[in-house]
Each structure stands twice: as structure tokens, then as C-alpha cells.
Amino acid sequence: MASTVSLKSASAITDFVNFDQKSLLVAVGSIAFNPLFWNIAARQEYHNKAITKIFLGNSRYGCYALAVAIFSLGILRDWLYEGALRQQPTLVELDILPVKVLAGVLFAAGNVLVLTSMWALGFTGTYLGDYFGILMDSKVTGFPFNVTDAPMYYGSTLSFLATALYFAKPAGILLTLEVLVVYLVALRFEDPFTSGIYAKREKERAAKAAKKL
């Protein structure tokens, strides 16, 4: 059973976070693994058609399969995260109604960002269809992309933070920081690569248009 700690009685970070719990380390690993997995898988697809080949040249089936894998890993990560939190110390100063209300607001806001971005991008746009050659006609600029360039990542981060606050777990706040850092690192690789995919398409379109003249 998880222990309870207060700011008055705590004297070290280990009073707030139990680093000896294996479930915490598993959650850390899962959070770091997921973006690494989908970036490696997507780039293998883009450069070598690794996933499309498994589905006998059908890129859409390949994209759907990767989507199932990403979604399943996300569910597993969230389950491991919540399980880890339940075994971590509870901070009494966070275990109050106003914090739980704030957690609810953050969770709602996070899910709005995630769900509306999925709606705007569509299924293949959400699950890395660009890497399979399934490109969107134009860049999405409406909500929530007029609020942030990465609504899914920031929305997910808000949901992690909301869960940590709701359960009053300092360890959850620490894990949320890891989520944010991992996503920010992923964006440094994903954004330029995706921009390059669309830039290549525009060059090919321009070349074809020039030939017709």
C-alpha cells in the first residue's frame, strides 16, 4: 500500500518518490520507448517500405497496422503509468478538492487537444500516413493547430499531469516531465522530416507542371 507524505515531514526527494519501485522504472521505460518505436518504424517504412512489404505492397494496410501498434502501446503505457502511481507516496497537500478540480480541467483540455487534432488530421494523418506516401492535400491550420503545432503531444502531456494531480502523486509529476521532454525531443526529429516529405512532393509537382509548359 502506498504511503502518505507531507511537505512538513519530508526531508528528501526520496520521501516524495519511491525510486525502488520496479513499476516506476517500467513506466519510465514505456514512456521513453513509444516515440522511439514509432519514429524508427516510420522511417524504416519511408526509406525501405519495411511495413508495406509485409502487407504485400498495400501501404494503407501497413499504416493501419502501425496505427494499431501505436494505439496499443499507448494504452499499455497509460496502464503502466497509473499502476506505478498507485504504488507511489501520496502528498497530502495535493490530496484536496481544488487540486482534483484542476486535474479534471487539465484532463478535459488535454483530451480536447488530442481528439480535435485527430479529427482534423484524419486517421492516416494521425498515424504517420505521410511516411507511407499517404499525404494530406494541405497543411492543417485550424483548431487545435492554431493553438499549438503539436496538440496531440501537449494534450497527452496535460492528461499525464492531470492524472498525477488527481491521485496527488509527486512521482506522477516527475513522469509527466519525462513525457514532455520525450515529446519535445521527438518533435525535433519529426517536424523537419515531415516538412521534408511535403517539400519533396511540391518539388515533384512543380517539375511535372514545368514539363507540361
Side-chain angles (χ1 to χ4, degrees):
M1 184 176 179
S3 60
T4 300
V5 64
S6 71
L7 292 173
K8 295 178 181 179
S9 62
S11 59
I13 189 173
T14 51
D15 293 325
F16 299 107
V17 181
N18 185 351
F19 292 100
D20 293 328
Q21 284 287 352
K22 291 183 179 180
S23 59
L24 179 68
L25 299 178
V26 172
V28 168
S30 178
I31 289 169
F33 173 77
N34 285 14
L36 184 64
F37 164 78
W38 71 61
N39 272 284
I40 291 176
R43 293 205 182 201
Q44 280 297 311
E45 169 60 28
Y46 182 79
H47 291 297
N48 304 312
K49 300 297 179 185
I51 303 174
T52 293
K53 288 177 182 177
I54 296 174
F55 291 90
L56 305 178
N58 192 314
S59 59
R60 284 196 173 270
Y61 286 172
C63 182
Y64 298 155
L66 181 60
V68 170
I70 293 172
F71 184 81
S72 300
L73 286 170
I75 295 296
L76 176 61
R77 176 203 59 192
D78 293 349
W79 178 73
L80 292 171
Y81 173 70
E82 185 174 335
L85 293 194
R86 292 186 182 277
Q87 298 180 18
Q88 288 293 317
T90 299
L91 182 61
V92 294
E93 284 83 358
L94 289 178
D95 197 16
I96 56 176
L97 182 59
V99 174
K100 293 188 184 300
V101 172
L102 174 61
V105 172
L106 292 175
F107 190 80
N111 276 275
V112 166
L113 287 175
V114 171
L115 294 175
T116 54
S117 63
M118 292 180 71
W119 178 264
L121 292 172
F123 188 86
T124 55
T126 298
Y127 290 105
L128 304 173
D130 321 86
Y131 293 76
F132 290 82
I134 309 169
L135 305 185
M136 302 188 70
D137 293 332
S138 60
K139 184 178 180 180
V140 178
T141 57
F143 185 83
F145 291 91
N146 57 358
V147 176
T148 170
D149 289 338
M152 292 192 70
Y153 285 174
Y154 291 120
S156 176
T157 302
L158 286 176
S159 295
F160 273 89
L161 178 59
T163 303
L165 293 176
Y166 184 83
F167 290 110
K169 304 290 185 176
I173 298 175
L174 190 63
L175 289 174
T176 299
L177 180 60
E178 183 202 1
V179 170
L180 179 60
V181 170
V182 165
Y183 281 157
L184 289 175
V185 171
L187 285 172
R188 291 180 66 87
F189 290 93
E190 293 171 5
D191 283 350
F193 197 86
T194 303
S195 296
I197 292 174
Y198 282 90
K200 180 181 178 182
R201 182 186 68 175
E202 294 308 312
K203 286 182 180 179
E204 292 173 349
R205 283 180 173 178
K208 287 181 181 181
K211 288 180 180 181
K212 292 181 180 180
L213 297 177

